[in-house]
Amino acid sequence: MASRRPDSFDGLGYRGRDDPLYGASYPVRSAGAPAEPQHHHWVTTPPDIPGSRNLYAAERTPLHDDPLREPGGPGPAADWKAPQPGVPPAEQLNRFAGFGIGLVSLFTENVLAHPCIVFRRQCQVNYHAHCYHLTPFSAVAVMYTITKAQGPKALWKGMGSTFIVHGVTLGAEGIISEFTPLPRELPHRWSWKQLAGHLLLKGLTAVVALPFYCASLIETVQSEIVRDDSSVGLLDCVREGLTRLLGVGAPHSRRLLPLSCLLLPVAMHAILRYAISASVQRVALWLHQRSRKQCQPNNPANPLDTYFPELAAAWAGSLVADVVLFPLETALHRLGLQGTRTIIDATDGATVAGNGGSPLVLPVNTQYDGFADCLNSICRKEGGAGFYRGFGALAAQYTLHGALLAAARTLLRLLLLDGKTS
């Protein structure tokens, strides 16, 4: 493309009419002189950025320097086909597919899966229960019983506080990375020093969000029967977190552990979860790319294959990390809830016959001295299966997430096929 920038343009400004070089490129025309064509313009068109136009396959961006054809002859657009009015461009279909699958994944992970998260946490802290709910069938049955007795709000409680914890985590990570040399993202070629700093940032972020996470944990596991709706607010999680951090407000039980006892286990859990999830995600993407090259070496890329493998790999990474660290999460939840005088639902599905069939509620009265004592006590009194209480709810959560991802991928594939054939 020919340059439209004036000869006197130096990149930082322009030369005025008093500049002696001005007249060399822009001759002054008198009032009586005939008009001469001006080939230079101060107002230029935007640059031709690749990808700024929605082009079809085998199309090219028309250049401004293409010679003009005769009227009725083949014009500049004759070399490339004009888009049909009824068919959306391929780039828009790709963006729509990626946005649709990502939105389904985000909605499922943070909204639809919240009842499974609530019931899983209740099972983890309920050491009285005889049923461990290691399969999704028993977990779904009790979840249905609790919802039928207390209403839909019984398993959707605390969802606002979980969003607040996510926001605090993201904000703390951004602030710490701005004021410290700890990298928020790893480059393509990273060093061991950068990796150590990145993992340290994940641990510090979890430590900062710990008070608010404990407050959110209380909101998610506390029974709706004893909850006062008039005193419940959206920012209660922030208030309760600051109260526990500063040690003010209503006094708790003497069994309440200080946050300093939870700093190291919480940081270790956050670092291990991120490391396992990221490693599994990278391995899954590598296996997908390798199998794709072997099976379809010359076929063009499917628009859905650009976005779906990353979401599927992230789903697999989170699943493996949660399964491996489930015992550690059980211990952390019990320690974070100890001494808070929280009353939870009976996860065995037991009901009171004389009170309209409402489920039983139980207090959480643990007396652990620390993280090591909690692990030893669970192993001694409940066995190895005690670390996996509520594992069926985790299985139901990821089964729902994976099924909706597959359904969204199938639906968008059909829509793309209809758009191409119509």
Side-chain angles (χ1 to χ4, degrees), residues 51 87 106 120 135 151 155 163 175 178 217 221 249 309 319 347 366:
V87 181
L106 187 65
R120 183 185 79 200
T135 62
L155 295 178
F163 289 128
I175 293 175
E178 287 292 332
L217 176 64
V221 301
L319 174 60
T347 56
T366 55

Side-chain angles (χ1 to χ4, degrees), residues 125-162:
V125 300
N126 187 8
Y127 61 94
H128 300 285
H130 299 287
C131 183
Y132 289 3
H133 297 293
L134 300 179
T135 62
F137 305 104
S138 61
V140 172
V142 178
M143 290 168 61
Y144 173 76
T145 302
I146 295 176
T147 305
K148 184 178 179 181
Q150 302 183 27
K153 294 177 58 179
L155 295 178
W156 296 90
K157 53 196 174 186
M159 187 168 60
S161 63
T162 58

Side-chain angles (χ1 to χ4, degrees), residues 56 82-90 93 412-422:
Y56 284 83
Q84 301 178 6
V87 181
L93 290 176
L412 289 176
R413 183 184 296 275
L414 295 176
L415 293 178
L416 291 176
L417 291 177
D418 292 342
K420 290 180 180 179
T421 57
S422 60

